[in-house]
Amino acid sequence: MRARSLAVLVPAHDEEERLPRALEAIRAAARHPALRRVRVVTVVVADSCRDGTGAAAARAGADVVHVTCRNVGLARATAAARALELLDGPEGVWLASTDADSVVPPHWLAFQHARAAEGWDAVVGTVTVTRWPRRVPGLAARHQRHYTASRPAHGPWHHPHVHGANLGVAAGAYVAVGGFPALPVSEDHGLVDALAARGHRLLRTADCPVATSGRLDPRARGGFGDHLAGLAMESPARP
């Protein structure tokens, strides 16, 4: 697939503080030289926000949709629907999903665009945590052991992880499987499972990780933040 347009999907709930940094990283990724002839749009879905999340997104130049569903699956699906409306349908469109508390690398969109050109229907990426809470000694090491347990000593790592913070999919394949399911958690897993079940080509790669928050008070219950919080409870109180 040669993607003529890229759409970045960002669900957000009360993320006024972290969202500007996330959107600046997306803008930097959109300016990659490999994307000079590619249209890039960013859609932020402000879900049940009580702060200035929507205003912050608008100031950064994103298209903003306000919803009150308090459901990340519906929020991501709403972002995808709005993107396809802006880009006149799914043909030639690649949907790249990230989170409001995450920072994509400068080559993130170019990487996904190149994988689309190679014929992949979806790119399932990994995340890294760059700032760990100091009050939980040993949390970073504990997480790393869990996260990379299946990584081989040599060769590519076809990892088992799925993160809405680092996920890309051809819009045609996305539409064919019904898009993000309306789930309050694991909507990213739901989409990837549906793509796999329909025989779409999935690239599981650790080559282009996205930096995400290490906070232990996550916006979405049952997701990556709750995983870290669970590990924190198991960690020793002192080194």
Side-chain angles (χ1 to χ4, degrees):
M1 169 191 170
R2 183 165 294 280
R4 57 176 174 78
S5 303
L6 299 172
V8 184
L9 317 178
V10 187
H13 170 67
D14 290 346
E15 294 285 10
E16 177 183 12
E17 181 180 343
R18 291 179 172 86
L19 183 60
R21 187 173 179 225
L23 294 179
E24 175 53 39
I26 291 168
R27 288 197 301 272
R31 293 193 293 266
H32 193 282
L35 304 178
R36 284 197 186 97
R37 298 184 181 180
V38 179
R39 183 182 177 187
V40 180
V41 300
T42 299
V43 179
V44 173
V45 173
D47 185 2
S48 306
C49 293
R50 300 157 295 182
D51 64 0
T53 293
R59 285 194 299 271
D63 189 272
V64 185
V65 181
H66 294 270
V67 298
T68 56
C69 55
R70 198 63 183 96
N71 180 297
V72 70
L74 281 172
R76 285 198 208 275
T78 298
R82 175 59 176 161
L84 295 181
E85 179 184 340
L86 292 172
L87 298 172
D88 301 319
E91 185 178 354
V93 175
W94 182 268
L95 303 173
S97 172
T98 191
D99 286 338
D101 65 346
S102 300
V103 177
V104 304
H107 65 298
W108 183 64
L109 288 173
F111 178 84
Q112 293 203 17
H113 186 260
R115 304 294 79 76
E118 291 171 355
W120 296 100
D121 294 314
V123 174
V124 186
T126 56
V127 297
T128 59
V129 178
T130 55
R131 297 182 64 181
W132 292 95
R134 295 181 180 179
R135 70 181 186 273
V136 189
L139 178 58
R142 184 180 292 270
H143 162 71
Q144 192 67 9
R145 285 196 300 273
H146 280 263
Y147 197 79
T148 62
S150 66
R151 187 164 200 157
H154 305 286
W157 181 30
H158 303 296
H159 64 87
H161 307 294
V162 179
H163 302 284
N166 190 4
L167 181 62
V169 59
Y174 173 87
V175 171
V177 301
F180 285 107
L183 298 173
V185 68
S186 296
E187 80 295 338
D188 42 9
H189 288 265
L191 175 62
V192 170
D193 288 348
L195 290 166
R198 292 284 294 272
H200 292 286
R201 295 188 67 213
L202 309 182
L203 174 64
R204 291 179 174 270
T205 177
D207 287 347
C208 189
V210 167
T212 196
S213 169
R215 64 188 180 189
L216 304 180
D217 57 341
R219 295 295 187 261
R221 308 312 307 181
F224 184 69
D226 267 359
H227 161 72
L228 294 182
L231 289 179
M233 292 179 65
E234 297 173 11
S235 298
R238 292 180 175 81

